[in-house]
Each structure stands twice: as C-alpha cells, then as structure tokens.
Amino acid sequence: MCKTHVLSVSGAKAPFEKTTIERRELRPDDIFIDIKYCGICHSDIHNAYDEWGGGMFPMVPGHEMAGVVRAVGPEVTKFYVGDRVGVGCFVDSCEKCEYCLRGEEQFCTKGVVLSYNSLDYDGNLTYGGYSQNIVVKEEFVVRIPDALDLDVASPLLCAGITTYAPLRKWNTGPGRKVAIVGMGGLGHLAVQYAHAMGAEVTVLSQSLNKKSEALELGADHYFATSDPAVFTELAGRFDLILNTVSANLDVDAYLSMLRVDGTLVNVGAPTQSDKYNVFSLIMQRRSIAGSLVGGIRETQEMLDFSAQHGIAPKIEVIRADQVDEAYERVLRSDVRYRFVIDISTL
Ligand code: NAP
Ligand code: ZN
Ligand code: ZN
C-alpha cells in the first residue's frame, strides 16, 4: 500500500481539504503513475456537490489525469517507467462483454468502474486524480503523444474524448453543418475537432463574449442565444447540434434549428429532466441522443488526432489551494477554458 496526498471533500459542497489515502499494492498488470496535472471537469462539481445523487464521501474527484509511469507490475507489456501517460473517466471493466470487446468499455454490462465516486470490483471506493498518484490496470491507461505537454493533455482525457467521440459517431466531416452549444471546457474542444474533421462549425453561446476566441479556434459562425431572433434565423440549418451545456435548455428551440434527419446530441448533463414537444421530432424526422465519454481505443485515437492537428485546450493552471475558488468560477462561466491543477502544489 502507498500513502498518497489528495484533495478530498467530506460531504456535498464541503470545502476541499488536503488529506491522505492508500493506493493498492501493484497487481501484476498494474501501473503506478505519478500524476503531474489534473483538469477540473464540470462533472467533478456535479459530483462533489452531489447534484446527480449517489455521491460517496470522502470523495477525491478528478478524471483528467496526465502523468508519468513510476513503476509497472511484472505482467505489464505496453508501458515502461518514465512513459508519459493519461487516465480518464474509468479504470476497470469486465473486458469480456460485447461492448468491452468492441472498445466501448463505458457501456460494460458488468458496470464500468469510474475513476472516482465508484466501487471497484472488490467493493472499494475509487479515488480520482486530485491526487499525487494512482494505480491503474494497464488496459485503462493511454499514451500521451510527445507533441502534447502534460498540462494541456490532461483535459483531453475527459473533455477531449467526450466531444471527439460523438462528432465521429454522427459522421462529422466536409459538407456537414455542426453547431456546438456552450463554449466551455467541452465546447471549446468540440469546435476544434469539428473544424479539423472538415465540418462547417457554428458556436451557439449565451453571449458574444467568446466570439473572437471561437473564430480563432476554427468556428465559421458564432451567435449569441440571448437574442431570440437567432433561433428563427437558424431554423432548419444543422445536421448535428452537440449540446455541452450543464444546465437545461429550451429543447424545442434547439430542435427547430435541425434539418430533416438532424440530431441533437447531449453530452451536457443537467440535474433536472429536459422537456420537449414530440412534434419537434416528428415533423422533420429529427432525433435526440446522448453520448458518454468514449472507449480506451478511441481515447488513444483522439490523443493522436489532437497531436497531429495541433488541437489543445486553453488552460489556466492553478494551485491545489485554489480548487474551491475554481469551482465557483466554473459555475459563473468565468473560465477560459479549463482549470488544470498543478499536482506538485499538493
Ligand atoms: P463548463 O466548462 O462549465 O461549460 C459549460 C458551458 O455551458 C459554459 O461555459 C457556458 O458556455 C454554457 N452554459 C453554462 N450555463 C448555461 C446556461 N444556464 N444556459 C446556457 N448555457 C450555459 O462545463 P464542461 O466541463 O464543459 O461540462 C459541460 C457539461 O458536460 C457538464 O454538465 C458535465 O457534467 C457534462 N459532461 C458530460 C460528459 C459525458 O460523458 N456526457 C463528460 C464530461 C462532462 P457559454 O458561455 O458559451 O454559453
Ligand atoms: Zn469529465
Ligand atoms: Zn464489459
């Protein structure tokens, strides 16, 4: 067992405190990783505030981990001491069911083991990346390409794959009109991926504040949804709308901007149920869908694609004692565009 310094919360909305936990002994197929940076995802806030229910405390959030391999178990074949690696939203799955076999471990029928706030297959609570190190089975570790610094790589492990995967799944490419709703941590990466995949990209943000940055990141058009005329102007425009917003939207208004056969894909995960009128779907054969992170194989593909296309999040690196303040700033949409904790300050 290895004692590790972490940032934890003792209950919903409690402030972060520096405490210690024990990481398990290395199993033969385990990797021991020194975490260097960990991104702050809005899901960390939903979980730490227990907004989705089922919160298990004490909680150590963090599922955007980038670090360096310190030790490997005797049966590890893919990684060596010193390798630059990442760990995302989950750390184990059955590896045998139909979804695991096709590389979509997030849908494992036994139940995927999340990086934190989850019970592993031995019944132990998992602790995430606001932590000096972590022990993970090698199959759930990805390689960070040399072209990506570890601090900018960390948000890709959740925000990157969560946007890359649905854009691929819904055939983003030349000739397709894609709208990204919300220019936050997920949204500003979605803009870059959709652009790199060749689509015509529109950002739908609450205000005009982020327009110049959206255009720099590859958006072709930008609209502020605070102006209701935008919904009329864009009626029937998009093949795909990727919604990254953490709050409930007027779903019918967004559906009205889809073409025939267009799809509204939700990755944003508000705490209350959405409402919509079924005629918003029927009349133009539209669909509503959801998407959950992405599998390990596709996460590696996303990292390689990011390195190849020069895609990276815009980050603000913070110290471990600034996390409470960072949460408040994320809730005020006062982040451009991802906070990343420098774990050496823990
Ligand atoms: P974030 O950085 O806070 O970004 C969300 C953005 O949504 C904000 O920057 C803001 O963009 C917009 N927004 C916020 N409140 C709004 C409101 N009331 N009305 C309209 N727009 C609003 O959060 P994030 O880390 O990108 O995560 C976004 C959501 O995705 C969260 O709910 C998170 O839990 C979820 N998530 C889901 C998955 C998955 O697998 N499905 C994975 C990761 C995260 P503008 O200023 O541009 O309007
Ligand atoms: Zn996340
Ligand atoms: Zn499985």
Side-chain angles (χ1 to χ4, degrees):
M1 303 281 260
C2 170
K3 189 171 270 195
T4 302
H5 291 275
V6 299
L7 280 180
S8 73
V9 281
S10 59
K13 295 200 176 177
F16 276 96
E17 36 186 344
K18 291 186 186 180
T19 54
T20 58
I21 55 153
E22 301 275 345
R23 294 294 188 188
R24 67 172 180 250
E25 290 292 346
L26 275 199
R27 295 173 185 156
D29 57 349
D30 270 345
I31 297 187
F32 187 101
I33 300 166
D34 283 324
I35 301 172
K36 302 292 184 191
Y37 295 95
C38 186
I40 294 180
C41 178
H42 203 120
S43 301
D44 296 347
I45 304 177
H46 292 306
N47 277 312
Y49 287 13
D50 204 14
E51 293 174 343
W52 290 332
M56 290 181 271
F57 297 93
M59 187 187 295
V60 179
H63 57 206
E64 295 185 335
M65 298 166 241
V68 175
V69 176
R70 193 207 292 185
V72 296
E75 288 172 15
V76 168
T77 56
K78 292 188 218 142
F79 295 96
Y80 297 92
V81 172
D83 282 356
R84 300 160 78 253
V85 293
V87 178
C89 296
F90 51 87
V91 288
D92 206 359
S93 74
C94 84
E95 299 182 69
K96 292 194 280 264
C97 74
E98 67 172 298
Y99 304 113
C100 285
L101 290 178
R102 73 180 195 213
E104 297 196 309
E105 299 89 350
Q106 70 272 32
F107 305 125
C108 176
T109 56
K110 185 175 176 185
V112 73
V113 178
L114 300 173
S115 303
Y116 68 89
N117 194 32
S118 183
L119 296 177
D120 69 18
Y121 294 150
D122 294 330
N124 299 310
L125 184 57
T126 57
Y127 297 114
Y130 298 5
S131 164
Q132 289 178 317
N133 50 54
I134 191 166
V135 174
V136 185
K137 215 184 206 183
E138 77 165 323
E139 294 305 328
F140 295 84
V141 177
V142 288
R143 190 174 297 285
I144 295 179
D146 290 341
L148 295 172
D149 290 335
L150 292 180
D151 52 359
V152 292
S154 63
L156 300 177
L157 277 309
C158 174
I161 185 62
T162 299
T163 50
Y164 179 90
L167 288 168
R168 278 275 187 246
K169 166 96 185 152
W170 275 274
N171 306 317
T172 301
R176 304 272 286 174
K177 291 189 169 68
V178 174
I180 308 299
V181 190
M183 260 279 286
L186 268 57
H188 89 296
L189 283 165
V191 170
Q192 298 181 63
Y193 289 126
H195 173 68
M197 291 172 192
E200 183 181 319
V201 185
T202 300
V203 169
L204 302 173
S205 180
Q206 294 168 93
S207 70
L208 291 172
N209 297 340
K210 301 172 180 172
K211 183 171 180 179
S212 59
E213 276 157 327
L215 298 179
E216 270 168 38
L217 293 176
D220 300 287
H221 314 283
Y222 183 106
F223 295 90
T225 52
S226 51
D227 175 4
V230 162
F231 293 90
T232 319
E233 186 180 341
L234 299 178
R237 170 82 65 103
F238 302 112
D239 299 289
L240 172 66
I241 299 177
L242 184 64
N243 172 20
T244 74
V245 173
S246 46
N248 297 92
L249 297 177
D250 178 348
V251 179
D252 294 305
Y254 285 85
L255 288 171
S256 74
M257 293 188 281
L258 288 172
R259 295 159 54 79
V260 170
D261 284 331
T263 307
L264 168 64
V265 178
N266 293 294
V267 289
T271 50
Q272 303 297 316
S273 299
D274 274 331
K275 286 199 180 74
Y276 66 91
N277 185 326
V278 75
F279 284 98
S280 302
L281 301 178
I282 288 174
M283 300 311 283
Q284 309 281 325
R285 201 169 55 200
R286 297 169 174 134
S287 309
I288 297 182
S291 184
L292 174 65
V293 295
I296 297 295
R297 234 167 14 225
E298 197 170 28
T299 301
Q300 187 65 60
E301 178 189 308
M302 171 277 307
L303 287 168
D304 297 341
F305 183 92
S306 304
Q308 195 187 339
H309 292 268
I311 292 173
K314 289 182 181 286
I315 60 169
E316 189 175 327
V317 177
I318 60 165
R319 294 187 312 271
D321 61 7
Q322 294 176 297
V323 174
D324 290 311
E325 184 192 330
Y327 274 28
E328 283 162 24
R329 285 184 54 196
V330 171
L331 292 172
R332 292 199 303 269
S333 285
D334 176 23
V335 49
R336 300 217 175 169
Y337 285 87
R338 198 62 148 186
F339 287 115
V340 170
I341 308 167
D342 176 352
I343 297 296
S344 71
T345 63
L346 220 173

